[in-house]
């Protein structure tokens, strides 16, 4: 019995070693850097609010806009998180709400409220790398990619940046084969992420264009994602970013989908 | 009158110069050849300024549409086998790796999304088939998913599930032949497994067009030299003297090289029409030489002075040759009246080439012959092609006897032929289809047939519905109205002033401008401003938003419902395989947002509901697909019709049906509709071609008639000269109508230009008949004399031209074959018509006419 366990253990570790040798280096140092970046990007403060504007430009220069308010509350740092996205423009999608209960150990729960159809709809777990409301951002960019899904390797380090290569553990779940992220040491925020596809083409780039310190938290105020294969980009600007507003937990409920919490959405007055 | 004698002597005496100058010009022209650019885009049949063409391209840009290759895989059993689907994935991935394709718009099972309710009450977008299915169950799962999505069914998988397609949009349609070949090669490399029975096909108009261009080159490389060879053999049969017949060959080659070189040097592209220039010019260029050589060999006797004989020949032939050259070139120049640029270029260059050939005949031929040694010339006399007991001579004589008797019967025959021709012409069906330019066994034709058998159709036409309203002015009015009513803080006022400024810019995008202003107003509202200013800015923002919402007709369910009804009607016509529209998208997403069952396959009931449904649609892997069907301001919407036939007549019928429908079911108020798409554009240039050809034909007819009248100084002879060729052309087109051959591009183009070529026979015949009648003063004797040397010359020339065009019969492309058959028959028929008709028509009136 014991022997069997030991053999099992040996076999498993050999397998794991073989896997990492063939498949991917996973570097603890790199992982901890990425985790710090995750913390800075998605978990600053205990809660937060910002007003976002999105300008979606296609390859021919045609534009669309989206405007929404994001409310966020952390259940646990780098752990579960509540997220609500309230759309205000274009006016015909006003009061559409997107609600996420983010989990680290299981799939996120996602809901949608469409006021025009008076319909609350749950979004199935599954592919999170679909377009976020027609933009070049994915749902996953909004809620954050789970760091457990990738292997990391520190490629380079200088005074300003860590350059880390990430390879997905499950290649079939994503459209990239690896990405390279530059994390700024001063803010611990990703400055640039470049994605490569199966043909090793650099096809997608996410950049933080403007970072400011708000309430002691380095905060991305302007980011852009570009489709390098087809042309087109989405710019996202965040304004009126505030942390630790003391958002009540009840706010992140199904009830708020149908009756938006005006008090917390009102930035002024 | 030109002193041909002096002219002739001048060229003979300076023949070295003649040779060197000609060589220099030909060489200069020849070095232009590498700069050749081909153009096979039927779109170029319309000038770039054409409104329909501009609209078509504007639609393509507005809706981000690209010309697409259609790759098809057919499995006689079902495509839903893991192996077959695996290949589909592989090929799709290969295609995505090519630089020439629009990656995000590749349409295949491996690139589209499935929208479904994975669990009840949920909604999900997921890749339909990102990786090949590993089991039959998974393949069947894909099958049932596809059958639920109207967008995919019958577009990327056929209804019978035996075929699947990959739509490959191209960044530049001119790369389609190259791209198709790359894909073909890749597919061939896959086909190592002999057990499967998957078949691959590649079709789509762009590949047909581009492949046509490729084969056109091959064609030019084969047919033109072949025509040269055939003419050389014919000349050999007539004259049996190589140095002697080298001269017309030099003239033909020089004419072709100079003409083509000039065309290329001027930067004109070689189009399907201009690729035939060589083959048109060669036989026509030789005709003058044949006259010249015949005349020379008739007159040259042993010990005669070559220069004198040449001078005599030039003197005698100069005028008729000039006139026949002018009339022939008029036939081609008349094509300038057709508003189709490639046809105009063709007409202009062949017309000029004919005049060039005439000039070369007058300049080069005497210079060349004068330097042949006497031995060569004497050999020529031994085999005088005009010998009175040749085979041609006997037949021509018999012809004369028949023509000059039974006048009444001939009149009846002519009337009967006219009647039959009129009947046939009334039956003519105007139709063309670029795919049919290939022979039936060509892989493109086969692919076209197979894919259109399985699918709803691979030919695209678009109906664009739009509400053209000048919203700009309304917005300017609202703004200035607002400004005049309220006292605004300077920042606020600046925003509004800039708004009006931007609106007044000619290329302003209304939605973007309003969006920018809304953002600016919002920014303003966060400044430290008074309650009143805040309220005003919010009020104005609301006004703008309301305004925008009200100018989005294609978020309105009733308008979408109109589209859906139109689509349903289209399905009943039997002409449209399938249509796709915004309404289908909205209904499908609405179904999945609700129960997922067919009773929810309907339109939601308000504009915001539609907008929110579409916001969901945009949450897929392919959000950009939406913009192929509606513009971002929702003021224009496109309905994509898939037609199983690329025939212009079928497209015409679809248009008629839609017109009828819209007449009976008026469009929503203020709405308008237009057509675009390749199938539609082909129809448009065909219409212009047909109308233009009428102008060309009548223009050529009038001009040639006037020249005839001028030449003979008689309207009667002018009219008589026009008779045989008119009847011949009418007869040919009558037959085309009766046998049901479509009146397509080559047939249309030929009508006008054959007029110019075939009138040559009449010119020579009447000219000689008048001389003979004057000399013999007896109708029967004059006619008898006509069927000696002149009759033989006409017959010989008809044979040269007709046979000169026959290499076209071996062309791999149908339009060339059509041209070959048609020209050869028009030449033959109009020669016969000339020989019979002129004597028999003139016979009863000869006394009055000739005196």
């Amino acid at each position: 019995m014991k022997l069997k366990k030991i053999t099992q253990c040996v076999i498993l570790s050999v397998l794991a070693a073989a896997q990492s040798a063939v498949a991917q280096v996973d570097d603890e140092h790199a992982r901890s850097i990425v985790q710090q970046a995750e913390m800075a990007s998605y978990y600053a403060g205990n809660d937060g609010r910002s007003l976002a504007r999105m300008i979606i430009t296609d390859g021919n220069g045609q534009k669309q806009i989206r405007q929404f308010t994001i409310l966020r509350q952390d259940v646990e740092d780098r752990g579960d998180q509540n997220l609500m996205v309230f759309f205000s423009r274009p006016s015909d999608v006003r009061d559409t709400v997107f609600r996420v209960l983010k989990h680290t150990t299981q799939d996120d729960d996602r809901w949608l409220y469409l006021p025009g159809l008076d319909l609350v709809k749950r979004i199935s777990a599954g592919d999170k790398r679909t377009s976020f409301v027609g933009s070049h951002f994915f749902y996953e960019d909004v809620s954050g990619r789970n760091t457990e899904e990738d292997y990391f390797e520190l490629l380079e380090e200088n005074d300003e940046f860590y350059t880390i290569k990430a390879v997905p553990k499950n290649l079939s779940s994503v459209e990239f084969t690896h990405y390279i992220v530059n994390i700024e040491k001063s803010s611990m925020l990703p400055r640039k992420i470049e994605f490569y596809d199966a043909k090793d083409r650099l096809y997608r780039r996410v950049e933080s264009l403007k970072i400011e310190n708000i309430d002691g938290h380095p905060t991305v105020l302007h980011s852009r994602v570009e489709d390098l294969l087809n042309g087109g980009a989405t710019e996202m600007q965040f304004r009126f970013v505030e942390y630790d507003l003391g958002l009540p937990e009840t706010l992140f409920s199904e009830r708020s989908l149908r009756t938006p919490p005006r008090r917390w959405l009102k930035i002024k007055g | 009158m030109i002193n041909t004698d002096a002219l002739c002597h001048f060229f003979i005496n300076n023949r070295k110069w003649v040779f060197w100058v000609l060589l220099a010009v030909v060489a200069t022209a020849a070095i232009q050849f590498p700069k050749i650019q081909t153009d096979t885009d039927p779109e170029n049949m319309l000038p770039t300024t054409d409104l329909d063409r501009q609209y078509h391209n504007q639609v393509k840009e507005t809706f981000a549409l690209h010309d697409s290759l259609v790759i098809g895989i057919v499995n006689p059993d079902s495509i839903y086998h893991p192996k077959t689907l695996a290949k589909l994935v592989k090929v799709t991935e290969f295609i995505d790796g090519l630089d020439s394709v629009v990656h995000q718009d590749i349409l295949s099972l491996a690139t589209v999304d499935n929208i479904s309710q994975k669990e009840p009450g949920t909604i999900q977008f997921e890749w339909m088939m990102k990786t090949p299915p590993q089991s039959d169950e998974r393949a069947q799962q894909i099958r049932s998913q596809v059958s639920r999505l109207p967008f995919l069914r019958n577009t990327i998988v056929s209804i019978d599930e035996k075929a699947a397609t990959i739509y490959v949009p191209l960044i530049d349609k001119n790369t389609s032949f190259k791209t198709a070949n790359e894909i073909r090669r890749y597919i061939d490399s896959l086909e190592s497994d002999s057990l499967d029975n998957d078949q691959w096909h590649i079709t789509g108009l762009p590949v047909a067009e581009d492949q046509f261009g490729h084969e056109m080159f091959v064609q030019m490389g084969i047919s033109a030299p072949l025509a040269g060879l055939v003419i050389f053999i014919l000349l050999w049969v007539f004259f049996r003297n190589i140095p002697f017949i080298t001269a017309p060959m030099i003239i033909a080659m020089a004419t072709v090289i100079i003409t083509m070189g000039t065309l290329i040097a001027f930067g004109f592209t070689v189009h399907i029409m201009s690729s035939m220039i060589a083959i048109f010019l060669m036989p026509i260029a030789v005709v003058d030489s044949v006259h010249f050589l015949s005349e020379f060999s008739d007159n040259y006797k042993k010990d005669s002075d070559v220069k004198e004989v040449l001078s005599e020949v030039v003197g005698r032939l100069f005028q008729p040759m000039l006139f026949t050259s002018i009339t022939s070139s008029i036939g081609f120049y008349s094509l300038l009246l057709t508003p189709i640029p490639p046809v105009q270029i063709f007409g202009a260059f062949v017309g000029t080439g004919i005049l060039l050939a005439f000039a070369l005949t007058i300049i080069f031929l005497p210079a060349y012959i004068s330097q042949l040694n006497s031995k060569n010339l004497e050999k020529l006399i031994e085999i005088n092609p005009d010998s009175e007991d040749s085979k041609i001579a006997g037949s021509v004589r018999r012809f004369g006897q028949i023509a000059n008797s039974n006048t009444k019967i001939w009149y009846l025959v002519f009337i009967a032929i006219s009647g039959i021709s009129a009947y046939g012409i009334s039956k003519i069906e105007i139709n063309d289809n670029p795919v049919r330019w290939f022979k039936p066994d060509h892989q493109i034709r086969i692919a076209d047939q197979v894919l259109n058998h399985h699918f709803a159709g691979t030919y695209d036409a678009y109906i664009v519905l739009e509400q053209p309203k000048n919203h700009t002015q309304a917005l300017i009015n609202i703004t200035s109205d607002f400004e005049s009513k309220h006292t605004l803080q300077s920042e606020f006022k600046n925003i509004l002033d800039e708004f009006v400024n931007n609106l007044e810019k000619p290329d302003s995008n209304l939605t973007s401008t309003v969006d920018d202003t809304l953002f600016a107003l919002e920014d303003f509202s966060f400044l430290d401003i008074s309650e009143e200013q805040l309220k005003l800015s919010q009020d104005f923002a609301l006004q703008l938003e309301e305004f925008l919402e009200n100018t989005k007709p294609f978020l309105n369910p009733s308008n979408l419902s109109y589209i859906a009804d139109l689509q349903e009607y289209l399905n009943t016509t039997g002409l449209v395989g399938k249509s796709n529209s915004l309404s289908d998208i909205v209904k499908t997403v609405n179904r999945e947002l609700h129960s997922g069952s067919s009773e929810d396959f309907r339109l939601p009931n308000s504009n915001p509901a539609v907008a929110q449904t579409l916001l969901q649609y945009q949450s897929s892997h392919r959000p950009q697909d939406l913009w192929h069907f509606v513009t971002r301001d929702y003021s224009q919407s496109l309905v994509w019709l898939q037609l199983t036939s690329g025939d212009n007549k079928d497209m015409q019928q679809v248009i008629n049906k839609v017109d009828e429908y819209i007449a009976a079911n008026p469009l929503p108020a203020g709405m308008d509709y237009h057509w675009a798409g390749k199938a539609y554009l082909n129809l448009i240039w065909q219409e212009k071609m047909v109308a233009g050809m009428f102008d060309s034909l009548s223009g050529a007819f009038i001009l040639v008639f006037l020249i005839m009248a001028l030449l003979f100084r008689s309207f009667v002879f002018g009219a008589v000269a026009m008779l045989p060729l008119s009847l011949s052309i009418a007869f040919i087109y009558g037959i085309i109508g009766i046998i049901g051959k479509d009146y397509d591009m080559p047939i249309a183009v030929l009508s006008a230009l054959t007029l110019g070529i075939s009138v040559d026979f009449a010119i020579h015949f009447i000219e000689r008949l008048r001389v003979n009648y004057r000399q013999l003063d007896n109708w029967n004797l004059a006619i008898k004399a006509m069927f000696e040397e002149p009759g033989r010359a006409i017959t010989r020339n008809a044979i040269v031209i007709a046979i000169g065009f026959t290499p076209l019969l071996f062309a791999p492309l149908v339009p060339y074959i059509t041209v070959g058959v048609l020209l050869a028959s028009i030449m033959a028929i109009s020669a016969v018509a000339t020989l019979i008709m002129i004597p028999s028509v003139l016979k009863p009136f000869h006394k009055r006419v000739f005196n």
Side-chain angles (χ1 to χ4, degrees), chain B residues 127-147:
Chain B
W127 293 112
M128 179 65 81
M129 188 177 73
K130 191 162 195 309
T131 50
Q134 298 302 321
S135 62
D136 280 326
E137 291 75 55
R138 177 74 191 112
Q140 288 310 310
Q141 211 181 333
I142 293 172
R143 173 172 173 260
S144 68
Q145 286 164 354
V146 169
S147 68

Side-chain angles (χ1 to χ4, degrees), chain A residues 53 58 66-67 89 91-92 94 112 116 121-122 124-125 127 131 134 199 201 230 239-240 268, chain B residues 93 96 104 122-124 519 522-523 525-527 545 549 552 593 612 616 618 620-621 632:
Chain A
R53 271 179 192 173
D58 76 359
R66 307 274 186 266
Q67 184 170 314
R89 284 206 176 113
S91 55
D92 35 38
R94 181 166 294 157
L112 192 72
K121 194 80 184 170
R122 205 184 143 122
S124 303
D127 200 346
S131 165
K199 283 147 198 124
R201 291 180 295 201
N230 299 295
R239 301 174 314 143
F240 309 105
K268 187 176 174 178
Chain B
E93 280 171 358
D96 185 46
Q104 62 183 354
T122 67
I123 184 167
Q124 188 189 38
F519 281 158
E522 201 194 21
D523 290 346
S525 73
F526 289 119
L527 297 176
E545 284 180 341
E549 278 184 49
K552 292 178 173 174
L593 282 170
Q612 289 156 29
Q616 279 321 291
Q618 286 190 277
S620 70
H621 288 103
R632 283 162 182 75

